[in-house]
Amino acid sequence: MLLRPRREDHLVIGKYTGKIVIGIGLLMVVPLLTSIVFAEWDTAVDFVISISLCMAFGYGTQAVCRTDRDLGWSHGLVVASSSWLVATAIGAMPHWLSGHMGSYLDAMFDVMSGYTTTGLYLMQDLDHIAHGLNMWRHLLTFAGGQGIVVIALTFLFKGAVGAYTVYVGEGKDERLLPNVVQTARAIWLVSLVWLAVGAAALAIAGLALGQDPVRAVLHGLWVYMGAWSTGGFAPQSYNTLYYHSLAYELIAIVVMIAGSFNFALHWAVWTGSRREIRRNVETVSFAITLSLTVLIATFALAKAGVYSDAMVLFRKVFYQLASGHTTTGFSTIYSRAFVTQWGPMGMLATTIAMAIGASACSTAGGIKGIRIGVIFKAFVQDVRKSVSPENALISERYHHIRDITLSDGLVRSAMTITIAYVLLYALITLAGVLYGYDFADAVFEGVSAASNTGLSCGVTSPSMPEGMKALYILAMWLGRLEFMSVFALGGYAISIVRGRR
Amino acid sequence: MIVCMRYPRGVLLVLALGILIALSPGHAFASNGAGDATPSSSELVESPAEFDGDVISFTGEAIGEMMTRGDMAWLHLNDDAYRDRNVEEGAPLGGYNSGMAVWVPVELTETIATFGDHAHEGDIVRVTGTFNAACPEHGGDMDIHASSLEVVTPGHRVEDPVHPRKLVWAVALSILALGAFLADRLRAHAEDTQGM
């Protein structure tokens, strides 16, 4: 039985959604300062307009929605999903004002793609955009990787008891520390240390590659943000092909793989448990599935004779596959080269890698390694049961921070989300096919959007049908929030209309 | 006097065939005066095998920067809708950027003065060289190894003035945001006072 939400429910949801939008406004101060430093005055005004909108909405909502009530479980989930929508609608303002977007829907597409760390984009003439706007593109993907709720938790929530529910609603469910606000700050600590090291390494590589110091630092920072957040945005339209450098690619691979690891794993290593890297079910699962998909793609491309040299072949395949599997979306080949050079088998291997994705509670998307690991263990357990005596007790364990015995509840939970992802992949592919795209292209691009990867084979473009853009926005949102909080928002909307008092 | 020239039927047939072949998809790519093909970047990406190893001529806006590696350098030439005028200068939106990476001796690049970015429309540069669908020398990258380079049109600085209407919106919304902030603070203060 659905209960119609009371006034207090609306107030608490409005209050915390307002806080998160204020957080988005504060985040825009960074690109505003960037624009001022580079004397990009028109872009600076765009950010003043956008910050003002965020603040007017955020503080206006807070002023109207005054309540002392803390967040309940369903409130948290609704706040997480609704705040992503509002943050997308308002966060799209700088994109739209820049004049580089075909429509406001295109601007929302790029912002949702950024927050969800997908990396697909519809921005036109990217190579001529302002530094301020490029900073915003990369900052929003970095913030999205951390989780925009995590940002608000860190700075604005001041220890609200129900904050954990919003945190979970954003697709993260690991408590690194007993308090969720401390957990959010720990996530920031890990990311900022990686930021310092990763951005510095890329900037030094950029200098060595012939970039001038300012561009080397900016590109280093932005490519780091794209890699760590597994977002895949890059400052030039050539993506990481622009650098033509093995060193740059290697640094990017290290950062994107690190970014795709569970924050709990980072924290375990941070606090001295280095063995966790080798033992964790997610890293083991990632290593196996990455190796398998690299093998398939290498075999297919070797057979097709696209790359004449074995090392060249491996370099190209490993980079695109690592990028796909970590759901980053960086590439060193042209989008259409997936179709014109890699062919169906190469695309299939990449699609599988993207569909699986990386670790839970990380910046990455996709089904996630832990679920693949749990389902595989459950399969092994069932096979062992079937070949063992009837009265034998067969149990399976896996290691994730600690040893965990496989239970029916865990397997069911992993299967539920996996099935939801597979259904989403199927539906978004079907939509692509119905819009007239080739099946291979539709499945590749659909999985890329829904798994928040961002590799493209050319389907995503400003001339793509509006309906497809809207569906991809929905797929990116659902995939990033892992369904539950979006379902909660749907339930909330239905209960407003049909719930009993 | 009207001179009527009569051609044998065979010559007319060959002429017609020649026109047909020239218009056929396989020969849809133009050529420069020297006889080199001049495919666009989209054509190169769509049909890489067809041009692999061919000497081609390619023209585009020098974008970003030149990245020097010893006595060679990387250039990126965009031949997209923004080659002559970018969005900041009022060019209509015409899709994504597209272009090609060019590997060129540094000595040939000395004439390039401006690279395209937000504040600049880059020099339009024509290169002639060998197209590689998957260059073994450069990690399988799709590129052109250029043997000649010329600046066709010099680039220029791009002004991007503030639009007055945007300024009005910025002021109005800033006042609104300040009002919302004050309203929130005042209500919070009033609640605190009542609580005491």
Side-chain angles (χ1 to χ4, degrees):
Chain A
M1 185 182 70
L2 282 172
L3 287 177
R4 185 173 293 181
R6 286 176 295 181
R7 186 169 172 272
E8 276 292 301
D9 296 313
H10 298 311
L11 292 182
V12 75
I13 289 167
K15 176 184 168 182
Y16 284 99
T17 304
K19 278 184 186 294
I20 290 168
V21 173
I22 291 169
I24 300 297
L26 292 175
L27 209 60
M28 286 183 188
V29 173
V30 178
L32 169 65
L33 293 175
T34 310
S35 298
I36 291 170
V37 167
F38 289 99
E40 298 162 342
W41 304 117
D42 194 51
T43 309
V45 172
D46 293 350
F47 280 104
V48 171
I49 291 173
S50 307
I51 291 169
S52 302
L53 260 180
C54 288
M55 296 303 170
F57 179 90
Y59 282 112
T61 311
Q62 275 199 166
V64 173
C65 302
R66 295 212 75 81
T67 175
D68 291 331
R69 197 172 159 190
D70 197 16
L71 287 159
W73 186 259
S74 58
H75 297 140
L77 296 180
V78 173
V79 167
S81 50
S82 63
S83 61
W84 276 63
L85 282 186
V86 178
T88 298
I90 300 183
M93 190 54 72
H95 282 66
W96 186 65
L97 290 172
S98 74
H100 285 259
M101 308 303 305
S103 66
Y104 204 81
L105 182 68
D106 288 12
M108 284 180 62
F109 182 101
D110 277 29
V111 172
M112 182 59 93
S113 174
Y115 284 143
T116 56
T117 73
T118 305
L120 294 170
Y121 71 92
L122 298 173
M123 180 171 278
Q124 300 177 57
D125 199 11
L126 172 66
D127 290 333
H128 287 111
I129 68 167
H131 286 317
L133 187 57
N134 235 334
M135 181 65 86
W136 177 230
R137 293 174 71 237
H138 291 88
L139 193 64
L140 67 85
T141 200
F142 185 62
Q146 307 301 101
I148 54 177
V149 166
V150 168
I151 296 170
L153 281 171
T154 314
F155 301 110
L156 301 171
F157 273 42
K158 291 180 186 162
V161 178
Y164 181 64
T165 63
V166 200
Y167 173 72
V168 172
E170 204 172 39
K172 293 184 166 62
D173 54 3
E174 306 266 9
R175 281 202 208 209
L176 314 187
L177 293 162
N179 179 308
V180 70
V181 176
Q182 288 170 347
T183 297
R185 287 177 185 158
I187 288 175
W188 270 108
L189 180 66
V190 170
S191 297
L192 291 177
V193 169
W194 270 95
L195 169 76
V197 176
L202 287 164
I204 292 165
L207 277 171
L209 296 176
Q211 291 193 295
D212 77 56
V214 173
R215 281 180 67 89
V217 168
L218 286 175
H219 279 227
L221 179 65
W222 292 336
V223 172
Y224 164 79
M225 286 176 169
W228 172 260
S229 66
T230 66
F233 281 155
Q236 301 285 156
S237 63
Y238 294 80
N239 205 271
T240 45
L241 171 65
Y242 183 77
Y243 306 99
H244 307 280
S245 161
L246 180 61
Y248 218 87
E249 285 169 30
L250 286 174
I251 299 168
I253 285 173
V254 170
V255 177
M256 63 194 178
I257 289 179
S260 77
F261 283 162
N262 197 311
F263 280 112
L265 172 66
H266 278 286
W267 195 246
V269 174
W270 189 273
T271 49
S273 177
R274 293 201 183 137
R275 286 176 62 214
E276 189 63 31
I277 295 180
R278 282 185 289 111
R279 295 185 64 205
N280 195 291
V281 66
E282 290 187 298
T283 48
V284 173
S285 163
F286 176 77
I288 293 170
T289 49
L290 177 64
S291 304
L292 285 175
T293 49
V294 165
L295 207 65
I296 296 169
T298 305
F299 177 74
L301 287 168
K303 203 173 164 201
V306 176
Y307 302 105
S308 55
D309 182 270
M311 276 313 291
V312 165
L313 170 65
F314 181 74
R315 175 176 163 184
K316 273 283 182 259
V317 167
F318 189 80
Y319 190 83
Q320 317 316 313
L321 266 291
S323 169
H325 208 317
T326 57
T327 71
T328 303
F330 277 164
S331 62
T332 54
I333 60 172
Y334 287 84
S335 295
R336 288 291 297 161
F338 277 113
V339 179
T340 61
Q341 288 186 302
W342 279 44
M345 277 303 283
M347 288 173 77
L348 178 68
T350 315
T351 306
I352 293 168
M354 293 192 293
I356 294 169
S359 298
C361 194
S362 70
T363 65
I367 293 169
K368 312 279 173 1
I370 195 162
R371 296 193 182 105
I372 300 295
V374 164
I375 292 167
F376 179 75
K377 290 270 182 185
F379 177 75
V380 170
Q381 189 181 26
D382 280 358
V383 170
R384 283 178 61 200
K385 270 184 187 167
S386 67
V387 296
S388 302
E390 247 178 65
N391 56 354
L393 274 175
I394 307 292
S395 69
E396 277 288 336
R397 289 174 162 219
Y398 66 93
H399 183 83
H400 176 61
I401 310 300
R402 62 185 196 282
D403 283 337
I404 299 166
T405 306
L406 207 61
S407 67
D408 285 351
L410 273 172
V411 177
R412 182 178 164 166
S413 159
M415 280 303 292
T416 304
I417 301 292
T418 303
I419 290 169
Y421 269 110
V422 171
L423 273 176
L424 178 64
Y425 295 155
L427 289 173
I428 200 74
T429 301
L430 181 66
V433 172
L434 289 176
Y435 269 106
Y437 293 97
D438 284 344
F439 177 75
D441 295 12
V443 71
F444 183 96
E445 203 88 0
V447 168
S448 178
S451 66
N452 306 126
T453 304
L455 286 174
S456 175
C457 65
V459 171
T460 301
S461 82
S463 59
M464 175 166 81
E466 302 295 297
M468 280 279 283
K469 292 175 187 172
L471 285 172
Y472 275 13
I473 290 175
L474 189 69
M476 292 188 275
W477 181 50
L478 274 163
R480 182 71 173 100
L481 296 185
E482 298 203 331
F483 309 100
M484 289 309 159
S485 55
V486 178
F487 294 161
L489 180 65
Y492 179 71
I494 292 168
S495 63
I496 289 173
V497 180
R498 299 184 60 183
R500 287 190 186 176
R501 287 181 187 279
Chain B
M1 187 178 68
I2 296 170
V3 178
C4 184
M5 295 176 74
R6 293 177 69 92
Y7 292 100
R9 202 178 279 177
V11 174
L12 284 174
L13 199 66
V14 169
L15 203 67
L17 268 175
I19 292 168
L20 268 177
I21 289 167
L23 292 176
S24 71
H27 285 72
F29 314 110
S31 89
N32 64 1
D36 303 319
T38 56
S40 67
S41 58
S42 309
E43 288 163 344
L44 291 171
V45 174
E46 283 299 324
S47 316
E50 197 166 325
F51 293 97
D52 193 22
D54 286 0
V55 174
I56 62 165
S57 184
F58 187 85
T59 307
E61 179 198 358
I63 208 84
E65 68 234 300
M66 184 175 72
M67 289 189 277
T68 308
R69 314 269 167 95
D71 53 359
M72 298 295 283
W74 280 109
L75 287 178
H76 295 89
L77 302 183
N78 283 5
D79 63 339
D80 49 32
Y82 318 102
R83 197 182 80 167
D84 302 312
R85 197 161 63 111
N86 65 49
V87 168
E88 314 309 330
E89 295 177 290
L93 293 174
Y96 288 136
N97 294 117
S98 62
M100 201 45 64
V102 180
W103 180 243
V104 61
V106 172
E107 66 203 40
L108 295 181
T109 63
E110 283 161 5
T111 49
I112 303 176
T114 311
F115 287 86
D117 59 19
H118 178 67
H120 302 90
E121 183 68 15
D123 291 350
I124 296 179
V125 172
R126 182 187 300 131
V127 294
T128 303
T130 307
F131 171 72
N132 300 294
C135 178
E137 193 187 328
H138 295 117
D141 293 350
M142 191 177 283
D143 63 17
I144 297 168
H145 287 205
S147 52
S148 75
L149 181 151
E150 63 173 313
V151 174
V152 179
T153 312
H156 54 268
R157 192 169 167 76
V158 173
E159 298 302 329
D160 187 18
V162 177
H163 295 267
R165 199 184 292 177
K166 277 190 190 175
L167 264 183
V168 174
W169 274 106
V171 172
L173 286 167
S174 299
I175 293 167
L176 184 69
L178 188 67
F181 174 74
L182 289 174
D184 180 55
R185 291 297 91 200
L186 284 173
R187 282 198 70 170
H189 180 69
E191 279 171 13
D192 288 348
T193 315
Q194 278 175 355
M196 287 165 70

